[in-house]
Amino acid sequence: MTAQLPGTFMERMKELLGTEYEEFINTYKQPPYGGIRANTLKITVDELRERSPFALEPIPWCPSGFYTGEGARPGKHPYYHAGLYYIQEPSAMAPVELLGVQPGDRVLDLCAAPGGKSTQIAAKLQGEGMLVTNDLHPERTKALAKNLELYGVRNGIVLNESPERIAAAFPGFFDRILIDAPCSGEGMFRKDEDMVRQWEPGTPAKYANMQQEILKAAAAALKPGGTVVYSTCTFALEEDEEMIDEFLSGHPQFSLVPVGGTGPFAAGLGPLPGAARLWPHKVKGEGHFMAVLRHGGSEGLDREGPAAIEEAVGAGAVEAEAVKAEAGLPKALKGQADLREATLSVSSRKVAKSAFPFKAAAGRTDHGRGKGGHGSGKTGAAGGRQAPGNGEEASFKIYADFIQELLGNVPAGHPIWFGDHLYISPLPREALNGLKTIRPGWYAGQINKSGRFVPGHPLATALRPTECSRSVSLSSASGEAVSYLKGETLSIPRERLSIKEGHVSKGYTLVCIDGFSAGWGKWQDGILKNEYPPGWRWT
């Protein structure tokens, strides 16, 4: 690195590390380590290892993570654009591994942008349960939303809220919460020299105040028996061990789960040896601190919010069947009880409203047209504008008929309309009332001015070829995959299409790269019209 390390920082590290200081300081003469993590929503770890065009070395603390050699350019391969792996600093993969996420969990990632850890959590959920992912900075949520879409996350919600407001909306609701806290970034000095230049002696104390408030909010949003993982990429005691020690003193219902001193994790310093550290002179990665906190009781938690959510979900499931029957939906959809939101009757709206007693605050949902090419403007948070056309029932039937032909079934979740755009959410609309919501769920698509449903790009990236009535696989080796990613029209003979029995060849086709979904095309008479969004294209 070329930037000069701050003298105050070096003196403090010499005091912390003693005889290990010289070994530590010498790491700044070495290049940082690169890494990728397999997106197991799309590809298995073994498949990625076999298919990888560059050498991979396993990362000890992440079963799906690999070191990439110097000179490797994983961002310049079609597999990156197909969402098969996430490019991530190796040490940054550790906190989610300690969180212990299981399919079906309700997980909150409080400080999530740009989304590396969120996509890691989503892969562990395997489409079950839900992920609420959040960042306080509006601009950073754009990258967060795009990464969830690229990596095929179906059960994720993206918020742009303060931790306190999330805790107020979801008291005692989440099984697991990740706090990858904003910090002074000392552990990233080797990787990001701008952090060196921005650092001042008072920087750790400035972040410590913010971290205290985030921890308090997480404690309020966690279920009894739930787990919080708090992590930073700094060495400062006041942001790490001292922060957790103070939190535990004020929250006796929490205990520290000891992980320090096991495997690659060094013990925490001072009074918290059970906390974990990754030191750059001991592992192949940057500096990281982690503490695993377990909630052992129910003291001081308001259970009204979670009970209300459960009541509303249950009420919707019961009422949806009658509503769908009235809408005249295809028989194949009758069993989809979670389609309730798009077809709610006036009476069911009243039930849902009464089931959410907490007050909706002023908010908005950001669906402006960005890189993904979808969105329709500004609207109040989860209660936004209604569907176009003749109302929700008619609009939902247009969507359902199209999806029935394209997929053969309707994806599970709560349909939420914003103008002419449809999202499939793991939560009913009322649960998001008053929150600044960037993406309320999986973006399905929109009804255009002609009254036809146009599938969204994120719908494609989360599908498997076997789920779609028409698909085609492009080769990453021949150059045709890159041509597609650049937005070019392709000549594809009909015999290359994979078409389910009973379906025609003409129409929207899932375009795959070596068998992994990447986007949409429209096939007709040997020509595949490119539907890859302009803002996503290979440059």
Side-chain angles (χ1 to χ4, degrees):
M1 62 180 292
T2 56
Q4 179 65 43
L5 291 171
T8 306
F9 166 76
M10 295 173 71
E11 288 300 318
R12 172 159 56 77
M13 295 309 297
K14 186 180 295 184
E15 184 178 341
L16 274 180
L17 291 170
T19 58
E20 296 182 24
Y21 174 74
E22 288 302 323
E23 188 181 358
F24 166 80
I25 211 70
N26 284 336
T27 63
Y28 291 94
K29 300 174 184 178
Q30 304 165 5
Y33 293 93
I36 64 170
R37 179 176 40 76
N39 176 19
T40 54
L41 290 174
K42 289 196 167 191
I43 190 171
T44 69
V45 174
D46 288 341
E47 280 182 302
L48 179 61
R49 187 187 287 111
E50 292 170 6
R51 290 174 174 269
S52 174
F54 34 82
L56 299 177
E57 176 190 344
I59 294 173
W61 49 84
C62 181
S64 58
F66 296 95
Y67 294 104
T68 53
E70 193 172 352
R73 302 177 70 192
K76 295 296 183 180
H77 194 278
Y79 287 170
Y80 169 76
H81 296 270
L84 300 193
Y85 52 77
Y86 191 93
I87 301 171
Q88 192 171 25
E89 193 280 312
S91 293
M93 301 179 192
V96 173
E97 295 302 322
L98 294 178
L99 191 58
V101 175
Q102 299 295 318
D105 282 346
R106 295 165 172 172
V107 187
L108 171 63
D109 187 354
L110 261 177
C111 313
K117 295 179 178 66
S118 288
T119 60
Q120 190 175 0
I121 291 168
K124 291 184 177 296
L125 287 173
Q126 286 296 301
E128 300 179 29
M130 71 180 69
L131 169 62
V132 176
T133 183
N134 175 73
D135 203 272
L136 191 58
H137 302 283
E139 283 302 309
R140 287 168 57 83
T141 58
K142 294 178 182 178
L144 173 58
K146 181 176 179 180
N147 279 325
L148 291 185
E149 292 171 352
L150 174 61
Y151 292 93
V153 179
R154 304 188 187 199
N155 56 337
I157 294 168
V158 181
L159 302 180
N160 170 216
E161 268 298 351
S162 68
E164 294 81 6
R165 283 171 55 85
I166 294 173
F170 297 101
F173 181 71
F174 294 99
D175 300 292
R176 303 180 195 274
I177 299 176
L178 177 67
I179 305 172
D180 187 38
C183 69
S184 56
E186 296 170 356
M188 294 291 139
F189 281 178
R190 176 172 63 170
K191 185 174 181 287
D192 188 349
E193 295 187 6
D194 282 342
M195 302 198 82
V196 180
R197 299 183 184 98
Q198 295 168 11
W199 189 92
E200 297 177 354
T203 301
K206 179 185 74 173
Y207 280 102
N209 293 331
M210 189 186 311
Q211 292 155 359
Q212 286 177 341
E213 296 306 312
I214 295 173
L215 272 164
K216 289 178 184 177
L222 189 72
K223 266 186 178 180
T227 300
V228 171
V229 167
Y230 172 88
S231 70
T232 73
C233 55
T234 191
F235 303 118
L237 285 172
E238 58 262 55
E239 299 180 72
D240 295 341
E241 286 89 352
E242 291 177 6
M243 175 64 57
I244 297 303
D245 193 40
E246 182 178 347
F247 172 80
L248 291 172
S249 297
H251 296 80
Q253 69 271 37
F254 281 85
S255 60
L256 180 70
V257 178
V259 292
T262 62
F265 302 119
L269 303 178
L272 288 180
R277 281 184 177 258
L278 290 173
W279 294 100
H281 62 292
K282 293 184 177 181
V283 300
K284 294 167 67 173
E286 307 309 306
H288 245 70
F289 169 84
M290 291 155 287
V292 182
L293 306 169
R294 182 72 43 79
H295 191 300
S298 59
E299 300 91 298
L301 283 180
D302 177 6
R303 302 299 297 158
E304 183 181 19
I309 294 174
E310 301 294 356
E311 180 183 345
V313 172
V318 171
E319 296 189 22
E321 293 304 311
V323 176
K324 284 182 292 179
E326 291 173 10
L329 299 182
K331 290 182 179 179
L333 305 183
K334 301 296 186 186
Q336 300 284 332
D338 43 42
L339 302 180
R340 158 233 186 204
E341 179 58 33
T343 52
L344 279 176
S345 64
V346 174
S347 61
S348 65
R349 285 187 189 285
K350 291 178 181 178
V351 171
K353 184 175 181 181
S354 65
F356 286 91
F358 37 87
K359 184 178 180 181
R364 64 171 179 81
T365 299
D366 183 359
H367 298 279
R369 294 191 180 275
K371 289 189 175 182
H374 58 87
S376 59
K378 300 173 182 177
T379 148
R385 292 181 291 163
Q386 301 303 305
N390 297 320
E392 287 190 2
E393 292 182 6
S395 297
F396 182 78
K397 189 175 187 306
I398 294 171
Y399 156 75
D401 288 345
F402 177 90
I403 291 297
Q404 179 72 12
E405 192 281 330
L406 188 68
L407 304 182
N409 59 69
V410 173
H414 298 269
I416 297 178
W417 290 96
F418 286 95
D420 53 359
H421 294 264
L422 177 63
Y423 293 80
I424 308 300
S425 178
L427 284 173
R429 172 163 40 195
E430 289 80 12
L432 299 172
N433 270 348
L435 296 174
K436 296 177 185 176
T437 306
I438 303 301
R439 294 289 183 272
W442 184 17
Y443 180 65
Q446 71 174 116
I447 294 179
N448 65 17
K449 293 180 180 179
S450 301
R452 295 176 180 172
F453 191 80
V454 179
H457 182 67
L459 181 69
T461 57
L463 291 173
R464 291 177 290 277
T466 53
E467 294 179 282
C468 202
S469 58
R470 288 175 296 277
S471 65
V472 62
S473 185
L474 307 180
S475 169
S476 65
S478 69
E480 64 181 1
V482 173
S483 295
Y484 170 74
L485 294 170
K486 287 182 176 180
E488 298 173 9
T489 297
L490 300 176
S491 295
I492 301 290
R494 187 185 186 281
E495 54 265 27
R496 286 192 59 187
L497 299 183
S498 176
I499 306 171
K500 286 186 177 180
E501 185 177 354
H503 291 269
V504 299
S505 56
K506 177 184 175 182
Y508 280 96
T509 301
L510 184 66
V511 180
C512 305
I513 297 174
D514 292 346
F516 301 98
S517 61
W520 294 116
K522 287 180 76 174
W523 190 92
Q524 183 177 358
D525 298 330
I527 299 298
L528 185 71
K529 181 184 175 184
N530 201 305
E531 296 289 325
Y532 199 71
W536 290 55
R537 290 177 184 171
W538 183 293
T539 56

